[in-house]
Amino acid sequence: MVTIDREAAPATAVAAVPALVAALAGRRGTALVLAAVPAAVALFFRDPDRTPDRPAADGPVDADTVLAPADGKVMYAGPGQEGVAPEGEWLQVSIFLSAFDVHINRAPYGGRLREVTYRPGKWLAAYSHESAHLNERTDLVVDREVDGATRTVVFRQIVGLMARRVVTRVAAGDEIATGQRIGLMKFGSRMDVFVPTDARLLVEAGARVVAGETVIARWSGGSHA
């Protein structure tokens, strides 16, 4: 089932104004053509159901599994990039969302949110290296206890050239589930995920991923609930 997120209302209303003006002016043909604009804007906010608890291609979705947080194309997958990754040793997956991708964001990993930090910034093209630390973004840090140790996964919502707002609907202290909806970004953007180096990346640059379904990283220590 596909629903439309509530963030669609103001943007769709603005997009509908030209069609309304044309209709009031008696230009029915023009109004019909212009009516496609608000319809397209509404579709940008589509929110399809996803099933993160289904068996994944290489095992069940459990405490060893990291899912894609966004639909889009993998721009980078490898060691944490200098100036992009948090301090320390990380593996990084960066996903670019075009204006045609679903923009609802999902948690790549479940646990307790230790930090949710909004940072204002610029609106550089999301595929540029500099966008990761100069653009408007929200950084989220989630901790999870596994076999007596704490695993930490960091993920980041980053707006792009067309995006002008990041929406985050979770807060520090929340318990979140892997694949849970956590917000969205408007009109073309980027998401970065940083996992510890004892995990294994399962995607490469150029791959298409689906939020809440595609497994992007996994620990090989066995299955954990």
Side-chain angles (χ1 to χ4, degrees):
M1 178 180 179
V2 178
T3 58
I4 302 298
D5 188 86
R6 64 180 182 269
E7 289 287 333
T12 303
V14 171
V17 170
L20 179 60
V21 171
L24 292 174
R27 299 186 175 184
R28 295 183 179 179
T30 301
L32 286 173
V33 172
L34 291 175
V37 177
V41 170
L43 283 176
F44 172 85
F45 293 93
R46 64 196 182 278
D47 182 7
D49 286 338
R50 298 286 165 78
T51 53
D53 57 347
R54 67 173 175 78
D58 66 329
V61 176
D62 53 21
D64 289 326
T65 305
V66 182
L67 299 178
D71 289 20
K73 183 177 181 179
V74 176
M75 299 189 302
Y76 176 82
Q81 294 176 311
E82 184 178 356
V84 177
E87 291 186 13
E89 298 294 322
W90 299 91
L91 297 177
Q92 174 184 336
V93 176
S94 297
I95 301 167
F96 174 73
L97 296 75
S98 76
F100 301 101
D101 287 311
V102 172
H103 272 59
I104 300 297
N105 305 148
R106 294 174 179 266
Y109 196 65
R112 185 177 182 82
L113 280 169
R114 171 159 47 92
E115 297 178 25
V116 177
T117 307
Y118 169 77
R119 304 177 189 275
K122 298 181 179 181
W123 299 291
L124 303 175
Y127 50 77
S128 70
H129 182 83
E130 294 79 8
S131 68
H133 57 91
L134 293 179
N135 282 19
E136 176 184 342
R137 68 189 191 274
T138 297
D139 294 343
L140 303 98
V141 181
V142 62
D143 293 332
R144 184 169 184 164
E145 296 295 320
V146 180
D147 293 339
T150 300
R151 281 183 185 164
T152 299
V153 172
V154 179
F155 54 109
R156 184 180 292 156
Q157 298 172 288
I158 308 170
V159 300
L161 184 64
M162 293 168 55
R164 285 297 182 269
R165 187 183 172 197
V166 58
V167 177
T168 306
R169 294 174 176 157
V170 291
D174 287 353
E175 292 285 345
I176 60 173
T178 303
Q180 173 184 326
R181 295 173 176 87
I182 58 95
L184 72 154
M185 298 171 293
K186 294 184 178 181
F187 302 109
S189 39
R190 164 179 176 168
M191 285 202 76
D192 289 349
V193 182
F194 306 96
V195 300
T197 55
D198 58 344
R200 176 170 56 99
L201 296 186
L202 299 177
V203 292
E204 298 178 346
R208 293 284 306 178
V209 294
V210 177
E213 292 192 354
T214 304
V215 180
I216 63 172
R218 189 168 177 83
W219 282 269
S220 57
S223 178
H224 301 89

